Amino acid sequence: MTLSAGSRLGPYEILSPLGAGGMGEVYRAKDPRLGREVAVKVLPASFSGDPDRLRRFEQEARAAGLLNHPNITAVYDIGSHEGAPYVVTELLEGETLRSRLAAGALAPRKALDYAIQIARGLAAAHEKGIVHRDLKPENLFLTRDGRVKILDFGLAKLKQTEAGTESETNLPTGTLGTEPGVVLGTMGYMSPEQVRGKPADSRSDIFSFGAILYEMLSGRRAFHGETAADTITAILTKEPPDLSVTNREVHPGLDRIIRHALEKNPEERFQSARDLAFDLEALSGISAPTAVTPSAVARVRRRTLVGPIAIAAGVAAALALGFVLGRQTGATPPPTFHQLTFRRGTIGTARFGPDGQTILYSAAWEGRPLEPFVARAETPESRPFGIVGAEVLGLSRAGEIAFALGSHESAPFTQAGTLARATLAGGSAPREVLEDVQWADWSPDGRALAVVRNLGAKNRLEYPIGKTLLETDGWIGHPRVSPKGDRLAFLDHPSRGDNGGVVAVVDLAGKKTTISNLFASSGGLAWAPDGREVWFTAAPVGANQALYAASLSGSTRVLARVTGSLTLHDVLPDGRALVTHDNLRIGIVGQLAGDDRQRDLSWLDWGTVRDVSPDGKMILFEESGEGGGAGYSVYVRNLDGSPAIRLGEGGAQTFLPDGKSVLAIAHPVTDTRVVIYPIGAGESRTLPTTGLSVDRALAHPGGRRVLLQAREPGRGPRLYVQDLAGGIARPFTPEGYRTLGIRALSSDGTAVMAEGPDRKVYLYRLDGGEPVSPPGLTNEDNVIAWSADMRSVYVTRRGERPLKVSRVDLGTGKKDLVRELMPSDAAGVTGVGPVHMLPDQKSFVFGYSRILSDLHVVEGLK
């Protein structure tokens, strides 16, 4: 079947042909319903002649449509036209890996980058029970922005033997199913079990992956003969030539990974693509010990909480096996991980006791409130300390504890409470010391405390209490006093609402020195036993944190990686470390009027909902984790659960009043210009906010202006009005003012609710006039909606679980509870919000973060 430009295939308008092959013809087309261009693959009409084959095609295409992953081509739709089935996918711009390989081998760094992406995509598919079965360079697409997309998931299974369509040694073979005795795959990339006609599982994809990676690095195929029989013999009995013969730049560890993937016996290969991906990622850190490069600045990812993760009991051995040393040699024994906790929930902070065997930690198990627990290294049992709602901040050598009583979320990634002191032996109530403390650590002699406090627009580090060492417009995390007591190390985060940061050291005179490059995600820090290094957990890209060491002179090395993410809590003088092995997901839930259950509207791994469309039918959100890419991704999605649409890169902000465009920040850390993305057809454009660093953008209901929370270089935040047509942004508040919530701007666009530098709440009019302080509101409130009569606002308060939605009368200050919001599965939920109220003021869409953690003692770190 050949289609001409302008013809229709179901609802799709054909624009131009893109190519043809054994599996049919591919066209560029337009979906007029969403105004987006797509790729349509029309399969041979012979498919429709076999009902069983057609049924299997539909099953496979639907399964492929469930694979929401940045390294797998998205399947949007399936249908049939004049007896020929077709499948609709996202439209890709770039070239296949086969085309790229025509120019020869890839640079090892680029090949490793592509390999990690392919392995991640395979892992995502395999975890849903979907095997490709025909992985080859033709089915790997390299987009113009550097991403790898795996093509034709679910279709390879349908291929039949078509002799003569390709060269003999690249012969495509196929089957209607997965019956033993039928060959399936492409010669040269098939696994030994496929060649023998045995069932192919995920490990067959791993073999094909190994052959592809070998070819990327060497420029020649791993298995190739003059005839198909010669190629089969090579696959079954021979090993490809050493990579050192064809590419001396290849790291020996990468060669070992390829050899492991190409084992003839599937039992001796990698058993999962997830393990393969993590070994490749670990090798990336080894091959570049100072893996945090200036380019990492452009990869910092927004987070809404610091991240920990629970894994099944008995995983300690797997952790040790998955461990990679930053200075790995064949003679270096791996460290050992001893698991201490086995319950489902979130661990906050953990510290070793003075004897080195007692461990004090705070946790929220099975959805219960946070409280401290005491454990011993030799037993898996923990006992409650007896103070519900308290977070452990520090534990001195004398056994005195620093707690945060009434601990609650004070800002993204940070808890705050009233600093109090108690003894590990117990017997007396904690003595309160100071309010609104986020972090604390004891001096070596146990006589003084270092604290971090949030003071409105500033975050302050004090040591001892009352002596200011440092203030910042960003935020300070995990401060630790050095073994000699002469300096403090901490994580310095430049942007509030983001946990990207650097490791810094400040002396007692307040002189700060940065000793690492910028990491995309960072949380967890302690001094090395000899005080010459700072150990910390962070990730150059994404959220899977590894353990690093930074010297005081500024060199960084990898100490440890494991499958998943680590958070460092404490280090003993003998080198034993206390870590959590963590899993964090940020999701989106809809709780709509008339529904008897919540709707899961999550898309990838770190989705944060930012707005609801004016008609209440669509949400705007950003993906800032592994799936969101280096610069985050902006998405819209209908509330009916249909697939999300990626609009572009950046941090999502708000819909414009017409519902046809959205505002986003180009990159929340490195490029804070405001971008306007059309939802349908059209080009994006950037607002000329020259000289301003923009934190937040709110759409004015009139449709011609936007409200900006921004700052000039070296100045504090203030609120501005900017015309969408251009011009200079005009400030209308003094310095030090921030918007109070996601709907701070009133529904009629005349006023905005803001927090002032004195931490009080003010109602500012955009046309001038003196601000007023409405009763009943505090700086902890978050305005999520205005009432229709403009006399009330709906608010939530940070840190509450479940999150309460209240209506506050702006005249009297009276507050009435409207709704409580919480995911139905409360285990590990560390934060709820942001919350968006739909126009019916009865339905809500809200986000949540879930952290599941296991605590481990690690020995053998060097």
Side-chain angles (χ1 to χ4, degrees):
M1 176 187 298
T2 301
L3 300 173
S4 59
S7 60
R8 285 193 171 270
L9 193 71
Y12 305 99
E13 178 185 349
I14 301 299
L15 301 178
S16 62
L18 289 176
M23 286 296 287
E25 298 172 335
V26 185
Y27 297 89
R28 180 190 293 265
K30 184 175 181 178
D31 184 350
R33 298 168 297 178
L34 295 175
R36 67 179 173 188
E37 292 189 355
V38 297
V40 178
K41 176 174 287 189
V42 183
L43 302 173
S46 60
F47 273 69
S48 60
D50 186 335
D52 186 59
R53 193 178 189 195
L54 182 60
R55 175 183 58 82
R56 260 193 287 272
F57 157 68
E58 292 174 346
Q59 290 175 345
E60 291 294 309
R62 288 194 181 98
L66 298 175
L67 299 177
N68 299 322
H69 192 275
N71 298 120
I72 299 176
T73 305
V75 175
Y76 294 147
D77 193 10
I78 59 172
S80 180
H81 179 74
E82 298 181 359
Y86 64 83
V87 59
V88 182
T89 68
E90 63 177 313
L91 182 65
L92 303 175
E93 302 287 347
E95 62 179 344
T96 64
L97 178 59
R98 172 63 67 209
S99 297
R100 172 62 183 82
L101 288 174
L106 278 61
R109 179 188 60 80
K110 180 59 68 176
L112 183 57
D113 177 28
Y114 289 162
I116 291 171
Q117 295 187 56
I118 297 166
R120 288 173 177 169
L122 287 175
H126 293 169
E127 286 169 5
K128 289 187 177 292
I130 300 175
V131 181
H132 195 288
R133 299 180 178 86
D134 193 22
L135 200 64
K136 57 186 177 181
E138 289 82 353
N139 282 333
L140 297 169
F141 197 90
L142 311 178
T143 67
R144 290 176 180 173
D145 62 358
R147 288 198 187 189
V148 181
K149 295 278 189 174
I150 305 175
L151 308 178
D152 286 352
F153 253 112
L155 299 184
K157 183 176 178 179
L158 305 170
K159 297 185 73 172
Q160 301 224 37
T161 303
E162 298 170 358
T165 60
E166 299 181 63
S167 67
E168 283 187 299
T169 57
N170 196 35
L171 190 68
T173 58
T175 178
L176 298 181
T178 57
E179 298 87 350
V182 185
V183 180
L184 173 67
T186 297
M187 198 68 68
Y189 301 95
M190 295 162 58
S191 65
E193 58 269 25
Q194 287 179 289
V195 168
R196 293 188 174 103
K198 294 182 177 180
D201 59 19
S202 60
R203 295 170 298 181
S204 295
D205 281 351
I206 290 174
F207 186 94
S208 302
F209 170 92
I212 293 167
L213 180 52
Y214 180 93
E215 188 171 346
M216 283 196 285
L217 290 164
S218 68
R220 64 182 66 176
R221 297 192 183 185
F223 306 102
H224 187 70
E226 294 183 1
T227 67
D230 291 339
T231 302
I232 290 175
T233 299
I235 292 172
L236 293 175
T237 64
K238 297 181 180 179
E239 298 292 339
D242 289 343
L243 280 170
S244 59
V245 175
T246 56
N247 192 336
R248 294 184 179 181
E249 296 180 8
V250 175
H251 191 286
L254 187 54
D255 185 60
R256 286 194 295 271
I257 288 175
I258 293 173
R259 300 289 169 185
H260 191 26
L262 291 177
E263 291 285 355
K264 307 299 185 186
N265 184 350
E267 298 297 330
E268 297 177 1
R269 280 178 224 145
F270 287 99
Q271 295 301 293
S272 77
R274 182 69 63 191
D275 291 343
L276 173 61
F278 281 116
D279 274 17
L280 289 165
E281 290 165 352
L283 184 63
S284 175
I286 294 170
S287 60
T290 55
V292 190
T293 64
S295 64
V297 174
R299 301 173 181 173
V300 177
R301 309 205 175 214
R302 174 175 298 174
R303 303 284 183 245
T304 58
L305 266 209
V306 75
I309 142 182
I311 51 178
V315 80
L319 277 173
L321 291 173
F323 184 92
V324 179
L325 282 177
R327 299 179 294 177
Q328 181 174 356
T329 68
T332 302
T336 58
F337 284 72
H338 175 58
Q339 188 170 344
L340 296 178
T341 61
F342 300 88
R343 299 172 69 178
R344 188 167 183 263
T346 305
I347 294 174
T349 304
R351 293 289 187 267
F352 282 113
D355 61 359
Q357 298 299 316
T358 302
I359 291 103
L360 180 70
Y361 68 92
S362 49
W365 296 127
E366 288 88 31
R368 296 185 178 89
L370 185 77
E371 63 175 312
F373 291 84
V374 178
R376 295 283 297 177
E378 67 272 13
T379 175
E381 302 297 332
S382 301
R383 63 173 177 83
F385 189 80
I387 309 175
V388 177
E391 172 75 279
V392 175
L393 297 180
L395 180 56
S396 76
R397 294 178 182 175
E400 189 166 12
I401 309 167
F403 284 121
L405 302 181
S407 179
H408 62 281
E409 183 187 1
S410 60
F413 311 103
T414 56
Q415 304 285 113
T418 299
L419 177 65
R421 299 169 62 163
T423 63
L424 186 59
S428 61
R431 179 171 63 86
E432 296 185 2
V433 177
L434 186 67
E435 293 183 348
D436 201 18
V437 171
Q438 296 176 325
W439 310 90
D441 190 42
W442 290 97
S443 61
D445 61 10
R447 297 179 180 179
L449 280 162
V451 298
V452 175
R453 305 172 64 192
N454 187 35
L455 302 174
K458 297 290 185 180
N459 210 227
R460 177 186 294 173
L461 174 62
E462 300 177 6
Y463 179 65
I465 294 174
K467 179 185 177 181
T468 300
L469 292 184
L470 188 71
E471 285 191 346
T472 175
D473 292 328
W475 62 284
I476 298 164
H478 303 270
R480 300 300 297 270
V481 183
S482 69
K484 295 181 179 180
D486 58 346
R487 63 189 76 190
L488 287 83
F490 60 96
L491 291 169
D492 191 7
H493 304 276
S495 177
R496 295 196 181 193
D498 194 296
N499 74 333
V502 299
V503 181
V505 174
V506 61
D507 63 21
L508 301 187
K511 180 182 178 182
K512 185 182 84 170
T513 304
T514 298
I515 62 172
S516 80
N517 289 322
L518 183 66
F519 282 78
S521 175
S522 56
L525 179 147
W527 285 90
D530 61 7
R532 297 177 181 178
E533 290 182 318
V534 178
W535 291 3
F536 63 101
T537 36
V541 180
N544 287 330
Q545 297 184 157
L547 180 58
Y548 291 85
S551 70
L552 298 182
S553 61
S555 64
T556 303
R557 62 188 178 95
V558 180
L559 276 175
R561 293 181 190 274
V562 299
T563 301
S565 184
L566 293 175
T567 301
L568 176 65
H569 293 273
D570 206 5
V571 176
L572 284 172
D574 63 9
R576 282 181 292 154
L578 194 58
V579 303
T580 46
H581 188 234
D582 311 314
N583 182 16
L584 169 61
R585 287 293 180 267
I586 299 175
I588 304 171
V589 168
Q591 194 156 316
L592 309 184
D595 284 359
D596 58 357
R597 64 179 62 185
Q598 295 176 343
R599 299 187 187 185
D600 184 2
L601 299 173
S602 306
W603 186 242
L604 302 179
D605 56 339
W606 286 59
T608 303
V609 59
R610 297 298 180 189
D611 200 9
V612 176
S613 62
D615 62 5
K617 296 181 179 180
M618 183 178 285
I619 61 172
L620 169 69
F621 64 99
E622 72 188 35
E623 289 285 351
S624 58
E626 297 291 332
Y632 316 173
S633 291
V634 179
Y635 284 88
V636 292
R637 189 180 193 186
N638 287 323
L639 291 179
D640 62 9
S642 55
I645 302 171
R646 185 180 185 272
L647 302 183
E649 193 173 274
Q653 294 293 296
T654 185
F655 282 96
L656 289 178
D658 62 5
K660 298 179 179 179
S661 302
V662 304
L663 297 179
I665 293 178
H667 191 289
V669 175
T670 62
D671 184 358
T672 61
R673 294 175 299 167
V674 178
V675 181
I676 302 175
Y677 284 120
I679 295 175
E683 297 293 327
S684 63
R685 64 186 182 91
T686 303
L687 289 182
T689 54
T690 306
L692 291 179
S693 176
V694 180
D695 299 322
R696 178 173 291 179
L698 304 176
H700 192 277
R704 297 181 178 180
R705 298 185 292 172
V706 293
L707 176 72
L708 304 177
Q709 177 183 299
R711 66 187 75 212
E712 299 173 29
R715 307 294 295 272
R718 64 195 304 186
L719 305 185
Y720 297 77
V721 170
Q722 167 92 46
D723 289 337
L724 285 174
I728 299 175
R730 175 180 61 85
F732 67 92
T733 71
E735 190 175 331
Y737 282 79
R738 303 173 185 269
T739 57
L740 190 75
I742 56 179
R743 289 289 182 186
L745 186 61
S746 64
S747 304
D748 61 4
T750 62
V752 64
M753 207 73 74
E755 176 190 353
D758 58 1
R759 309 185 71 181
K760 294 181 179 179
V761 176
Y762 295 93
L763 187 64
Y764 256 93
R765 298 192 61 84
L766 271 65
D767 56 3
E770 290 297 317
V772 297
S773 294
L777 293 176
T778 74
N779 68 321
E780 294 185 358
D781 290 314
N782 179 9
V783 177
I784 65 168
W786 292 68
S787 64
D789 60 9
M790 304 295 295
R791 295 180 179 178
S792 303
V793 291
Y794 294 89
V795 301
T796 59
R797 180 160 290 191
R798 187 191 307 277
E800 292 182 330
R801 292 192 301 276
L803 194 65
K804 298 179 177 64
V805 178
S806 300
R807 178 171 174 150
V808 180
D809 188 301
L810 295 178
T812 65
K814 182 183 177 184
K815 180 179 287 189
D816 296 310
L817 179 64
V818 174
R819 191 73 176 266
E820 291 188 350
L821 301 174
M822 187 74 177
S824 54
D825 178 7
V829 172
T830 57
V832 182
V835 176
H836 299 266
M837 179 180 281
L838 273 61
D840 64 6
Q841 298 195 337
K842 297 179 181 178
S843 304
F844 301 86
V845 176
F846 62 95
Y848 68 91
S849 54
R850 186 191 308 278
I851 302 172
L852 300 174
S853 312
D854 289 325
L855 188 63
H856 297 259
V857 173
V858 187
E859 297 184 69
L861 293 170
K862 296 179 181 179

